[in-house]
Amino acid sequence: MNSKKIDKLSTPYWLLEEKKLLKNLKLFKYIKDKSGVKILLALKGYALYQSFDLISEYLDGCCASGLHEALLAKEEFKKEVHTYSPAFKEEDLKQIATISNHLVFNSVAQYQRYNQVAKELNPNISLGLRVNPEFSCSPKEIYNPCGANSRLGTTLQNFDISKLDGIEGLHFHALCEQGSEELEDVVENFEAKFKEYIPQMKWINFGGGHHITKDGYNIEKLIKIITNFKSKYNVEVYLEPGEAVGWRTGVLVTSVLDIVHNGMDIAILDSSAEAHMPDTIIMPYRADVEGASEAGIKPYTYQLAGNTCLAGDIMGDYSFDTPLKIGDKIVFEDQIHYTMVKATTFNGIKLPSIAIKRLDDSIDIVKEFGYEEFKRRL
């Protein structure tokens, strides 16, 4: 690490390590080579475009959730652009259609309303529909796209092939940080409901939520599921991982600003769970901290808390080998996915800077934020 340069960077900051990213990308390449699947980067989970030069060497393109992500994919990734949204606005749809390779609608009604417009603007575009297999093993209901009354995807009851003239693909998404065993169950349910229509398609998109780069993920089972499906139906298969691309590729570095005591020692940091690590509150999950353990395991336990007025802006309770001091660095691990894309300036708190440790161990400070980012949003 170019420590001299990184030492000049004030906390908080995210630090991506390209060597860790490359390890993930090589695993995706292995899966592609063995199965013939196409893999897209889901920008909703990871959109650090300053690393796209590396990622684009291994992945086939990006999946976007709307106009802005589609534009970013087109401008910075420069490969396939696949766009899906729960509902498109006409003015956005027209621009999206001109830059997308695949355009996936959420409902039969939206397909009917816009498919001809899209084809006129881009005769080469491939149109698809997101379907709801009405089955999911999602660990949290907030992340369950196939739950009761879900707006995401068309159920079999509302699927009408006679109103989908020109459709070339089906898309489903039912996983959240899950394995190939759960994918197998989802595919089985998808086939049971839509098997009549799959042979009429050119491609099937298996969506995201595949925890491919997590230790213990059954890679060979994933490859078998894909190859069996491709052989059975003679279709192209796509995956859309986002979190799995950025999984354990970098950290969020913060500093201790003050230590107060109210029933326990509380370290107030120059970051925020609410603003910079929202999934630790929404999911919720407990982020690992470098050198720390669960509360009470090591001699000195602290609650780590954010520097906003939200009472619940708390990262969690952690124990350390030595007492914390003002100015100490607190490093939260695995903070590259679903952080930058969700971060806010709540309370006017400064957004973390973004740094990348390149393959040659040099450090690029690619983005620093200040007052203008806060003001510009208001």
Side-chain angles (χ1 to χ4, degrees):
M1 178 184 295
N2 185 341
S3 58
K4 185 175 181 181
K5 190 171 183 180
I6 201 72
D7 285 346
K8 292 180 180 178
L9 187 59
S10 298
T11 57
Y13 61 85
W14 286 293
L15 177 65
L16 168 75
E17 296 189 41
E18 283 191 334
K19 288 181 180 177
K20 294 179 178 179
L21 177 61
L22 182 60
K23 179 182 177 183
N24 288 349
L25 295 173
K26 287 182 176 178
L27 180 56
F28 290 124
K29 183 179 186 302
Y30 172 79
I31 294 167
K32 288 176 57 178
D33 290 346
K34 290 290 185 178
S35 68
V37 71
K38 285 194 169 185
I39 301 181
L40 309 171
L41 170 65
L43 296 180
K44 66 179 180 180
Y46 180 107
L48 181 52
Y49 64 87
Q50 293 90 343
S51 65
F52 283 2
D53 284 351
L54 178 60
I55 300 174
S56 63
E57 294 179 25
Y58 293 86
L59 302 190
D60 297 284
C62 298
C63 61
S65 301
L67 176 58
H68 290 172
E69 287 187 353
L71 286 168
L72 185 68
K74 184 70 173 180
E75 292 174 2
E76 301 292 343
F77 208 91
K78 300 180 175 67
K79 295 181 80 172
E80 292 186 34
V81 179
H82 296 218
T83 309
Y84 158 82
S85 182
F88 290 106
K89 297 179 73 171
E90 185 170 356
E91 58 264 37
D92 291 348
L93 185 282
K94 290 179 178 179
Q95 192 171 359
I96 289 168
T98 63
I99 62 176
S100 296
N101 299 89
H102 284 195
L103 182 59
V104 180
F105 295 95
N106 188 64
S107 69
V108 174
Q110 280 249 310
Y111 183 90
Q112 286 186 291
R113 186 174 302 128
Y114 293 128
N115 78 88
Q116 289 185 358
V117 174
K119 276 290 188 182
E120 288 172 3
L121 290 167
N122 182 358
N124 296 319
I125 199 168
S126 184
L127 303 179
L129 183 75
R130 177 168 173 171
V131 296
N132 180 353
E134 300 177 78
F135 175 87
S136 175
C137 308
S138 181
K140 297 285 181 180
E141 197 59 24
I142 191 173
Y143 292 105
N144 183 3
C146 301
N149 309 123
S150 175
R151 72 190 185 285
L152 302 173
T154 299
T155 61
L156 181 61
Q157 182 180 355
N158 294 301
F159 187 93
D160 186 348
I161 196 67
S162 68
K163 297 179 179 180
L164 296 168
D165 184 48
I167 191 173
E168 294 184 340
L170 297 177
H171 172 290
F172 65 81
H173 175 67
L175 301 179
C176 175
E177 295 187 354
Q178 291 175 294
S180 49
E181 294 80 10
E182 289 82 7
L183 174 62
E184 186 174 45
D185 291 338
V186 171
V187 170
E188 181 180 320
N189 280 268
F190 167 68
E191 288 186 84
K193 288 184 168 62
F194 296 96
K195 61 184 176 182
E196 177 184 349
Y197 310 107
I198 299 173
Q200 303 174 45
M201 302 298 152
K202 292 183 178 180
W203 52 266
I204 303 294
N205 190 318
F206 285 9
H210 314 277
H211 223 354
I212 292 168
T213 48
K214 184 179 181 180
D215 289 346
Y217 185 95
N218 192 333
I219 298 295
E220 299 306 321
K221 188 176 191 66
L222 172 64
I223 291 169
K224 184 177 180 181
I225 292 169
I226 295 167
T227 53
N228 286 349
F229 193 93
K230 284 170 61 70
S231 175
K232 186 175 181 180
Y233 295 107
N234 191 30
V235 293
E236 191 84 75
V237 172
Y238 286 86
L239 300 179
E240 297 181 343
E243 178 176 44
V245 175
W247 179 252
R248 295 207 170 277
T249 57
V251 298
L252 173 65
V253 182
T254 69
S255 295
V256 177
L257 299 180
D258 196 12
I259 298 173
V260 299
H261 187 89
N262 184 3
M264 68 180 301
D265 289 327
I266 304 165
I268 301 174
L269 310 181
D270 61 354
S271 185
S272 165
E274 168 73 11
H276 303 155
M277 310 161 61
D279 276 2
T280 61
I281 294 177
I282 300 169
M283 185 64 170
Y285 79 98
R286 180 182 183 276
D288 290 333
V289 169
E290 187 177 279
S293 296
E294 298 274 355
I297 302 297
K298 294 186 173 185
Y300 302 95
T301 292
Y302 297 83
Q303 182 176 97
L304 301 182
N307 194 24
T308 73
C309 66
L310 178 69
D313 192 356
I314 296 167
M315 289 79 164
D317 298 346
Y318 298 82
S319 62
F320 299 83
D321 291 318
T322 58
L324 294 181
K325 306 183 300 298
I326 307 302
D328 279 353
K329 297 288 193 299
I330 302 295
V331 179
F332 292 92
E333 298 179 349
D334 194 24
Q335 291 299 307
I336 299 300
H337 54 86
Y338 283 110
T339 51
M340 299 173 205
V341 293
K342 287 189 173 186
T344 72
T345 56
F346 171 65
N347 257 205
I349 196 167
K350 177 180 177 289
L351 287 167
S353 302
I354 303 172
I356 300 178
K357 184 179 181 182
R358 300 294 185 182
L359 294 176
D360 63 2
D361 289 336
S362 64
I363 299 288
D364 280 344
I365 299 169
V366 299
K367 191 84 70 170
E368 293 184 75
F369 302 96
Y371 165 67
E372 286 304 318
E373 281 71 33
F374 168 68
K375 182 180 180 181
R376 194 179 296 125
R377 295 173 59 155
L378 301 175

